[in-house]
Structure formats: C-alpha cells, structure tokens
Amino acid sequence: MTARRSPRIVVIGAGIAGITTAHVLQEAGFTDFTVYEKGDDVGGVWHWNHYPGLTCDVPSQLYQFGFAPKPDWPKIWASGPEIQRYHRDVVERLGLSDRIRLNAEVVSSVFDDATGRWTVTLADGETVDADFVVCATGVLHNPSIPDIPGLHSFAGPVVHTARWDDDVRTSGQRIAVIGTGSTGVQVVSALQPEARELLHFTRTPQWILWAPMSLPQLPFADTVLAASPRLHHALYRGLLWGSGILADIVRKDTWRRRAVQAYARLSLRAQVRDSDLRADLTPDYQPLCKRQVVSGTYYRAITAGNADLVTESITEVRPEGIVTADGRLHEVDVIILATGFRAHDYMRPMTVVGRGGLTIDEAWRDGPRAYRMTAIPGFPNLFTVLGPNSPTGSISLQYTAEKTARYLAQWFDLFRNGEVDRIEVTEEATAEFNAQVAAASETTVWKTGGCDSWYLTESGAVDLWPFDRATLSRMLARPDRSHFRLGADEPLGDSAAL
Ligand code: N01
C-alpha cells in the first residue's frame, strides 16, 4: 500500500456546487484544493443573473446549504440579491475565500495517460497539475440567444436576462420581452409598472401557479430559529421531506399531481377574466410538464393597460422593432431576451480531453450522460457536481450537491490512503444507470405532459433526476468499486469504443 498522500484537487466553478464542494473538502481535511471561478464573484447563476425582479421561487429556508442555515431570511421567497449576499457570507464565514480564485477561467482540462494527472489551463495561460478535477460548472450557465433574423440590426439595446446590463434604461421605455419561462414572467412583472409600453412575445404559453411571492418570513422566526439551531435543523429537514412531495408529483400520475394541475388551471381562470386573453395564455400541454412557473404578479402585469401579449411568431427584427408573422411591426426601444439557457452544455466552452485523447464533445455526441450525475467513462479522476441528470426539477440542489461532494470525498480519501490511483467509471455501469433513468422517466410529467422543454435533450431523453430523494442518497452513499476501473494497472481499453 502506498503512503498517505495529499491529492491536488481543482474545482471549477464557485456557484452552489463549487461552494459546497469546497466546504466538504475542507471539512474532510483536504488541504490542497483550489476553486477556479471565471466570474468576479462567487454564486454562479445568482452572480450572473441579476435582472430586475429576480426572485427564487423555492422557499429560502429550503433554498440554502444544509451546512449553513440562515435564520433571518427577510422573505419566504428571497430575492436574487439576498441569495447572492448569502453566498458571499457563507464563503466568508466558512473560511473558503482563500480557496477561491475569482476571475480565473479554466479553458481546458487535459488528462495525461502516462502520469494519470490532469493539466488544467487558465485563460491567462497559467497551467496547474491536478490529481482530480471537479467540474462544478452549473446547468443554467450559457445563455441561449435566439437566431432571429435582423436581431443585430436593432437600433436600441438588446439584453439577455442572464447577462443583464444595469445601464439599460427601461423606465418610460417601450419594452419587448421575448420568452415566457420563469425569467420572462419575473422580468415582465418587474418592468411593466414603469414601462411606457410592454410587449410580451410568447411562443409557447406557460402554466403559472399563483403564490404570494413577496410574503415576509413569519415575525420573530429569525429570533426563534437563531436561538434554537436544533429547531432550525428540524425545519430544514421538514422542508426537505415536504419537498419530496414535489418529486412524487412529477414522477407519478396520482391525485396529488392532478390537484396541482387543477390549481394551475384555476390560477389562470381566477385571474384573467378576458376570455380571448385567457385563451392566448392557455398552454396546450399539462401543467408541470415544463419547469413550473410561479408568480403572484404576472397575470396582473399582463392585463395592465400598458401591457400586451403578442402570440404571433416573430419573423424578424428591424432597427425600429420586431416584425411578427402577420406582417405587423411592433416598434420598441429595448429588446429583452428571456430565452433561457443552453442547459445541456455542461462545462462548455471549456475543452475537456480524457483518456486516449477522447474529448467531452466526442463522448457526449448523443447528449450528456454520466454515472449517477458525477462520473463519465473515459475521464478518469474527473467528476461533476450537479452534472447530467441533476434534479433541477424536483429535489433541493444544495442537498444534491452536498451528497455528491461527500461521495467524491470518499473517493479522494481512498486515493489519499493509497488504495486507488485512477478512478474511472465503466461504460457498463454508466449504461445501466442511464437505462434506469430512461425507464423511470417514462412516467414523469416531463415526458408524458405533451410539451417540449429544456428538461429534454435533443434526443428526447430527460436530463433530470426521475427518482426520489432516498434513491439519490442511496446511490451516492458510498463508492461502488465494482462500477469503476481502479488503478493505473487496469487495461486502458479502446476509448473509441466508449
Ligand atoms: O428559460 P426557459 P428561463 N423565439 O428555457 C422562449 C430557472 N429559473 O430563463 O417554450 C421566441 O424556461 C421559450 O419558448 P418555447 C428555472 O429552472 C429559476 O425562463 O421554447 N421565444 C421560453 O418561453 C427555469 O426553468 C428561477 O416555445 C423563444 C423562453 O424563451 C430556468 O431557470 C427564476 C425563442 C425560455 O424559457 C430557465 O428559465 C428564473 C425564440 N427564438 C429562472 N427561444 C427561480 O425562481 C426561446 N424562446 C428559482
């Protein structure tokens, strides 16, 4: 057995997944790790996204790290800036700041077959050698810019919500918002009151659950929770348990699913009286099929005198505005693209080259796939946290990130103890896991609900977690050695066959 050694670990990304990984590694006594973050702040999607009205539609007492509970959220559903402040506080409080290098974009990670180590290259040309690479690069990172003819010819500002420009003036302007997901709905609600005119271009309407999103946290809740960490922990566990109902609802066609779907239909019927507008706002697929939108203000905003819903499809953009299929030119001053993300472009645009020169683009030619969200055949000693099939639609992401990071820490510990060198998941175990995912996805509303969404890959596979939380915890409880090839002496095989 080899002597105890200290693995050098590179973590890429300082969002929820990266912060969690750093905390878990620190707690597990790993001393040689650095988190590289291309942005100038931590927080990931909560750093990059700062459009007006940004709110989290998951209650804050659940949307937080289990290891860093915050008693004093001002509201039940926190705003983007509040969540971002929380991320900064956590990093500081847990002593992780020195572990994180900001403005440090990783452009490539290349595995060396001979040494079994990774060479990680930063945008400024610096290179770092590592025993392990952990990609905590996020899901909703790369903005999707629609390919609309003439978009670049528009005379005014065009801004994507995920790269909001604080200098763009919206007050008193004629605003076009394209996109009807959670973001489009939030940004329309936020900008309508001050706009001269707001046009919401809707290609596919969404079901929108009504919820009182600006409710404050209960009076004295912060004092009580701060005074009793045990009670706070119990509340967190209770919410985690309660959120299991959501996983159940999306996975199984039961009365619970039908009750939520009925509530979505009621939310529309009760708030939009005009039957023509209601028809335009009514989706032709089942509620919960796409990522469910939640809002207490959208229907009020879109029925306001200065707002209009445009359902004709967009044909082109001209310098003065947007032209729709009926030939009409909608003159506007600002175009806001709430058109979502390239959600399956994990790790991109980074170059990742694994064993035998296999690139991640080659490995994922038919779409992203991993073993239990974290390991990829052909890429030894590289893992993802919140990678493919992460439960963005059903289970707490913070919980999942922590489970995954603790799972990885066990592998790193085996390496530290000299018990393993190269850790590479087998193609068979990955195929088996993905077959389980495909089978379990068949009954999910994401698959049966009759819609298209960013939850589905181009091949129609569901890129989410179609199991419950207990399954997630079980699959990540401890490394299953039989699913991996371990050690430098293992035959390398033919990566082309992967
Ligand atoms: O993006 P989306 P999002 N012409 O992909 C439309 C999370 N989130 O940024 O449905 C016209 O959902 C597209 O139309 P269609 C959450 O997980 C969370 O809103 O493809 N329209 C759709 O309407 C969410 O799911 C919070 O027909 C075009 C919209 O753009 C995820 O982020 C808050 C178009 C894209 O919707 C992404 O949400 C905000 C085109 N060429 C976001 N191209 C929380 O509260 C696209 N569209 C936690």
Side-chain angles (χ1 to χ4, degrees):
M1 188 181 288
T2 322
R4 200 169 158 85
R5 55 195 168 167
S6 178
R8 167 101 191 98
I9 305 163
V10 160
V11 180
I12 306 173
I16 287 171
I19 294 171
T20 303
T21 305
H23 166 69
V24 167
L25 292 180
Q26 177 157 279
E27 202 187 50
F30 294 97
T31 53
D32 194 5
F33 69 91
T34 305
V35 182
Y36 295 92
E37 164 56 54
K38 72 178 180 186
D40 62 7
D41 201 354
V42 300
V45 71
W46 294 103
H47 160 64
W48 295 103
N49 271 262
H50 50 98
Y51 59 81
L54 175 61
T55 310
C56 182
D57 56 19
V58 179
S60 315
Q61 286 298 346
L62 177 62
Y63 199 85
Q64 59 182 345
F65 300 111
F67 52 81
K70 176 177 161 65
D72 56 347
W73 288 104
K75 288 193 255 150
I76 292 192
W77 289 278
S79 69
E82 285 158 356
I83 294 171
Q84 182 54 357
R85 264 197 302 280
Y86 165 72
H87 288 141
R88 285 194 204 113
D89 286 353
V90 169
V91 165
E92 190 123 340
R93 191 150 43 90
L94 298 181
L96 298 173
S97 307
D98 292 345
R99 292 291 182 182
I100 299 173
R101 271 186 58 187
L102 301 173
N103 300 305
E105 178 176 6
V106 173
V107 291
S108 78
S109 299
V110 179
F111 184 71
D112 183 332
D113 289 313
T115 63
R117 302 194 88 214
W118 286 88
T119 301
V120 172
T121 305
L122 306 185
D124 65 4
E126 181 185 339
T127 59
V128 184
D129 279 355
D131 296 300
F132 293 99
V133 172
V134 178
C135 297
T137 44
V139 184
L140 301 175
H141 178 65
N142 293 308
S144 169
I145 309 291
D147 186 16
I148 303 174
L151 186 59
H152 298 292
S153 73
F154 183 62
V158 177
V159 56
H160 192 287
T161 47
R163 298 293 179 271
W164 189 257
D165 177 353
D166 293 317
D167 292 334
V168 167
R169 200 175 129 224
T170 51
S171 175
Q173 301 291 293
R174 296 169 302 172
I175 304 167
V177 176
I178 303 176
T180 331
S182 304
T183 305
V185 162
Q186 289 185 351
V187 87
V188 164
S189 303
L191 297 183
Q192 172 271 322
E194 302 275 304
R196 184 170 136 208
E197 184 185 13
L198 189 143
L199 301 179
H200 194 189
F201 290 82
T202 301
R203 185 166 67 181
T204 314
Q206 292 253 26
W207 291 106
I208 301 171
L209 287 185
W210 182 87
M213 300 295 292
S214 50
L215 267 192
Q217 195 167 258
L218 285 176
F220 308 114
D222 51 346
T223 319
V224 173
L225 295 175
S228 174
R230 281 178 65 163
L231 180 66
H232 200 180
H233 184 65
L235 172 68
Y236 174 73
R237 298 299 301 184
L239 287 169
L240 210 49
W241 176 84
S243 68
I245 296 172
L246 175 61
D248 185 64
I249 283 171
V250 290
R251 292 185 316 112
K252 299 182 204 145
D253 188 7
T254 61
W255 68 268
R256 281 190 287 271
R257 181 191 289 178
R258 288 190 288 278
V260 176
Q261 292 180 325
Y263 179 63
R265 294 188 175 97
L266 177 68
S267 295
L268 173 60
R269 234 186 0 259
Q271 292 178 85
V272 182
R273 295 281 171 210
D274 178 325
S275 56
D276 289 340
L277 179 61
R278 197 164 63 230
D280 284 345
L281 286 166
T282 305
D284 62 0
Y285 54 86
Q286 290 183 37
L288 297 166
C289 181
K290 287 175 182 270
R291 169 36 163 97
Q292 187 55 53
V293 179
V294 183
S295 171
T297 46
Y298 175 76
Y299 288 135
R300 195 167 60 220
I302 201 63
T303 48
N306 64 342
D308 257 318
L309 188 75
V310 183
T311 54
E312 283 288 337
S313 55
I314 297 170
T315 51
E316 63 168 316
V317 172
R318 292 191 194 150
E320 17 355 338
I322 297 177
V323 180
T324 43
D326 53 3
R328 196 163 156 208
L329 169 67
H330 304 264
E331 291 192 34
V332 289
D333 304 309
V334 187
I335 296 179
I336 295 172
L337 306 174
T339 43
F341 300 86
R342 302 196 310 273
H344 313 292
D345 280 6
Y346 300 92
M347 308 180 211
R348 320 297 168 72
M350 184 172 65
T351 302
V352 184
V353 184
R355 181 167 56 88
L358 179 73
T359 67
I360 198 70
D361 291 336
E362 288 163 351
W364 283 356
R365 204 178 288 123
D366 298 326
R369 69 198 272 279
Y371 164 87
R372 300 184 180 182
M373 304 179 282
T374 189
I376 308 163
F379 296 82
N381 293 11
L382 176 137
F383 296 95
T384 53
V385 177
L386 298 185
N389 294 113
S390 290
T392 34
S394 51
I395 298 169
S396 157
L397 286 178
Q398 289 83 353
Y399 176 87
T400 307
E402 190 176 338
K403 280 281 167 203
T404 311
R406 293 195 186 286
Y407 170 85
L408 299 187
Q410 295 180 59
W411 275 123
F412 301 158
D413 201 37
L414 291 170
F415 179 94
R416 178 161 61 180
N417 293 335
E419 291 178 50
V420 297
D421 280 316
R422 284 186 202 193
I423 305 160
E424 181 185 343
V425 71
T426 63
E427 171 56 30
E428 295 71 34
T430 307
E432 187 189 0
F433 170 72
N434 279 274
Q436 290 167 350
V437 166
S441 296
E442 287 304 317
T443 57
T444 63
V445 68
W446 311 315
K447 189 91 176 172
T448 62
C451 72
D452 189 14
S453 78
W454 66 263
Y455 285 174
L456 306 176
T457 66
E458 274 178 20
S459 63
V462 174
D463 188 9
L464 291 185
W465 187 257
F467 311 111
D468 60 7
R469 191 164 58 87
T471 306
L472 186 144
S473 305
R474 182 173 48 73
M475 284 195 181
L476 295 172
R478 61 191 59 82
D480 184 336
R481 287 173 177 241
S482 70
H483 290 168
F484 287 78
R485 43 207 291 163
L486 303 168
D489 298 337
E490 292 280 323
L492 286 178
D494 176 10
S495 61
L498 289 167

